[in-house]
């Protein structure tokens, strides 16, 4: 099939998934009378719960797909024009703008601070910037490192020495990767206060004493608190 050739599934998945995010959030918002049916702003369809939760989650995935699509396109243009300095510079500028756009889309989807003060907002915004800088540094340095100017077997290279070609780029890439991971940890830690006000319950409904018993079960259904405190 034509959509299974190479990496053509990336832009297809990006368009379908993003369109689905807009469509589902629009349907929920209109059904719950949160917006008018006649062409509301896309952002308005993802402003009020519960549609904003779905909108944010799906737009995050769309941002990742968009980032992957932009990076593949960047590598394609670079491979087709390896000696055109102007095109190479414009291509790198396009990559940076694309990454910033993806981060902006994720920012718009996730930062609607209505249940927290400004402190939590600024902490999460700082973590987002931290993560963005780490991702940008990692992608930029790794693309330069694996461009072929420092050898062709770097993917399998597990041991590096300071005198190796590309060692500095390798070091920056690894530091950026670790930094990105710790920014994720920090972001998840900001949910501690949110989760202090949440509890989950599990309910077991018995429809028979055995798998082969058609009679209703006389045993009272059991409810057990699953996690933490009351909402």
């Amino acid at each position: 099939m034509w959509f299974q050739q190479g990496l053509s599934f990336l832009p297809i998945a990006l368009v379908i998934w993003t369109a689905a995010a807009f469509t589902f959030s629009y349907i929920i918002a209109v059904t719950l009378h949160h917006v008018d049916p006649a062409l509301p702003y896309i952002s308005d369809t993802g402003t009020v719960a519960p549609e904003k939760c779905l909108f944010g989650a799906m737009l995050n995935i769309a941002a990742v797909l968009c980032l992957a699509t932009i990076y593949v396109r960047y590598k394609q243009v670079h491979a087709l024009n390896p000696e055109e300095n102007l095109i190479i510079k414009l291509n790198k500028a396009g990559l940076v703008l694309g990454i910033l756009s993806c981060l902006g889309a994720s920012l718009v989807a996730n930062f609607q601070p209505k249940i927290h003060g400004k402190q939590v907002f600024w902490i999460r915004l700082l973590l987002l910037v931290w993560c963005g800088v780490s991702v940008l540094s990692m992608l930029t340095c790794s693309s330069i490192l694996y461009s072929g100017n420092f050898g062709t077997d770097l993917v399998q290279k597990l041991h590096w020495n300071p005198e190796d070609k590309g060692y500095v780029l390798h070091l920056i890439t690894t530091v950026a990767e670790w930094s990105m991971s710790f920014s994720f940890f920090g972001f998840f830690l900001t949910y501690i206060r949110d989760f202090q006000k949440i509890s989950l319950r599990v309910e077991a409904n018995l429809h028979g004493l055995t798998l082969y018993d058609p009679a209703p079960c006389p045993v009272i259904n059991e409810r057990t608190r699953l996690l933490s405190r009351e909402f």
Side-chain angles (χ1 to χ4, degrees):
M1 299 294 289
W2 59 271
F3 56 84
Q4 294 177 325
Q5 297 178 0
L7 295 176
S8 61
F9 67 91
L10 272 178
I12 297 172
L14 171 60
V15 172
I16 294 176
W17 186 267
T18 307
F22 295 163
T23 302
F24 292 155
S25 61
Y26 170 80
I27 293 174
I28 297 174
V30 170
T31 302
L32 298 178
H33 305 289
H34 292 162
V35 296
D36 296 326
L39 291 178
Y41 287 110
I42 294 176
S43 57
D44 288 346
T45 65
T47 302
V48 183
E51 60 267 20
K52 75 173 183 179
C53 304
L54 178 65
F55 183 79
M58 294 188 70
L59 208 58
N60 278 335
I61 299 176
V64 174
L65 291 173
C66 184
L67 182 62
T69 302
I70 291 171
Y71 183 71
V72 171
R73 178 60 175 173
Y74 163 77
K75 297 297 289 183
Q76 182 187 36
V77 173
H78 181 77
L80 294 174
N81 304 274
E83 299 179 357
E84 297 288 340
N85 292 330
L86 178 60
I87 295 180
I88 291 175
K89 292 180 180 179
L90 292 175
N91 193 32
K92 290 181 178 179
L95 175 65
V96 173
L97 290 175
I99 293 174
L100 292 176
S101 299
C102 295
L103 292 176
S106 180
L107 176 65
V108 169
N110 291 282
F111 288 89
Q112 303 169 354
K114 292 186 177 180
I115 61 174
H116 291 295
K118 292 184 178 179
Q119 182 180 6
V120 176
F121 167 77
W122 287 114
I123 291 175
R124 289 178 177 173
L125 181 61
L126 179 62
L127 289 168
L128 178 67
V129 174
W130 176 11
C131 180
V133 172
S134 301
V135 171
L136 180 61
S137 302
M138 182 179 65
L139 290 177
T140 302
C141 293
S142 63
S143 62
I144 297 174
L145 180 62
Y146 296 107
S147 61
N149 298 327
F150 300 94
T152 57
D153 58 343
L154 297 182
V155 177
Q156 290 80 22
K157 189 176 179 65
L158 298 178
H159 302 283
W160 289 77
N161 297 314
E163 60 272 10
D164 292 341
K165 291 183 61 177
Y167 176 78
V168 175
L169 289 173
H170 164 74
L171 188 62
I172 296 175
T173 302
T174 54
V175 170
E177 185 180 40
W178 281 96
S179 175
M180 178 184 65
S181 300
F182 283 113
S183 70
F184 290 161
F185 299 156
F187 190 85
F188 289 132
L189 287 175
T190 63
Y191 286 122
I192 291 177
R193 293 193 63 185
D194 300 65
F195 287 11
Q196 286 175 342
K197 299 296 184 180
I198 297 176
S199 66
L200 299 177
R201 291 182 179 273
V202 59
E203 179 177 344
N205 296 319
L206 301 180
H207 300 284
L209 294 176
T210 67
L211 294 176
Y212 309 100
D213 188 1
C217 179
V219 180
I220 299 176
N221 294 330
E222 188 271 343
R223 296 183 179 182
T224 304
R225 180 181 296 179
L226 183 62
L227 291 172
S228 193
R229 304 173 181 175
E230 293 291 342
F231 179 77

